Amino acid sequence: MAIGPVQLIVLGFNHPNFHGEVIAELERLRASDTVRVIDALAVYKDQAGELEVEHLSNLTQEEAIELGTKIGALIGLGIDGEEGVEAGAEAGAEMAAEGVNFFGDADEWDVLEDIPNDSAAALILLEHHWAVPLRDAIARAGGFRVSDGFISPLDLVGIGLMTAAEARELHEMETAAAAKS
């Protein structure tokens, strides 16, 4: 199966409702063939930092069987207890032995450590279908990805894409729950 560009998004929640509006929006994006959720997990972290994991997904049963649990393997989280941790670690070790450097020269991203105690996060591994033709055209032209990231709304004010008031409102909406932690 050919796969488009893939992104891991980690979204924090103080009081999550993972089966409501977020899942509905992911379903809408899937129906429009904009993105496909390869894997999605809800990770609950209690006050002591202990984790509880639940699968979230909009994959068909056939796709879920084909793809398996990819986030767990990617970040070293054992979904199936100790066996899952070992499988994730072994897969990562095999890739490293083949010369694959997952994090380049950047520091590793400890996704689980970044989740505050007494909160939850949705870890969503997205395939960007919309980007496949663009990615392929870039490759045919000899181009390659150097870096990527989301831009804060506050940074968009300086280049005239948003007013200061719009950016402040959007920034507050995006970070309000984190500020309450």
Side-chain angles (χ1 to χ4, degrees):
M1 156 175 70
I3 194 161
V6 174
Q7 177 181 30
L8 177 63
I9 300 174
V10 181
L11 307 169
F13 297 87
N14 285 328
H15 304 287
N17 177 6
F18 292 123
H19 302 289
E21 190 176 357
V22 174
I23 297 298
E25 182 59 17
L26 289 171
E27 291 292 342
R28 186 191 68 74
L29 291 169
R30 178 176 174 75
S32 70
D33 205 32
T34 304
V35 300
R36 176 175 65 134
V37 176
I38 295 172
D39 195 10
L41 300 176
V43 177
Y44 301 89
K45 195 182 245 190
D46 68 18
Q47 290 181 347
E50 295 295 317
L51 299 175
E52 183 181 322
V53 179
E54 175 185 334
H55 281 275
L56 305 170
S57 185
N58 67 350
L59 293 178
T60 65
Q61 183 173 0
E62 294 80 26
E63 289 170 325
I65 291 168
E66 179 183 354
L67 293 168
T69 300
K70 300 302 183 191
I71 292 176
L74 185 65
I75 67 170
L77 176 65
I79 303 304
D80 297 320
E82 289 301 315
E83 290 178 16
V85 171
E86 290 173 17
E90 287 175 17
E94 287 173 15
M95 295 299 286
E98 294 173 12
V100 176
N101 184 356
F102 294 107
F103 299 101
D105 293 331
D107 292 333
E108 290 186 26
W109 180 22
D110 190 343
V111 172
L112 300 175
E113 183 65 29
D114 288 347
I115 301 168
N117 288 0
D118 198 25
S119 72
L123 283 65
I124 304 170
L125 194 61
L126 290 178
E127 176 188 10
H128 292 276
H129 279 215
W130 65 268
V132 172
L134 176 61
R135 177 204 56 198
D136 294 349
I138 290 167
R140 286 190 300 272
F144 53 92
R145 181 177 56 86
V146 173
S147 184
D148 56 64
F150 286 105
I151 307 300
S152 166
L154 299 176
D155 295 327
L156 299 176
V157 174
I159 61 173
L161 287 178
M162 298 186 104
T163 67
E166 291 169 331
R168 197 171 22 261
E169 183 179 329
L170 188 54
H171 176 75
E172 287 173 6
M173 181 185 69
E174 290 178 351
T175 61
K180 294 177 186 175
S181 298

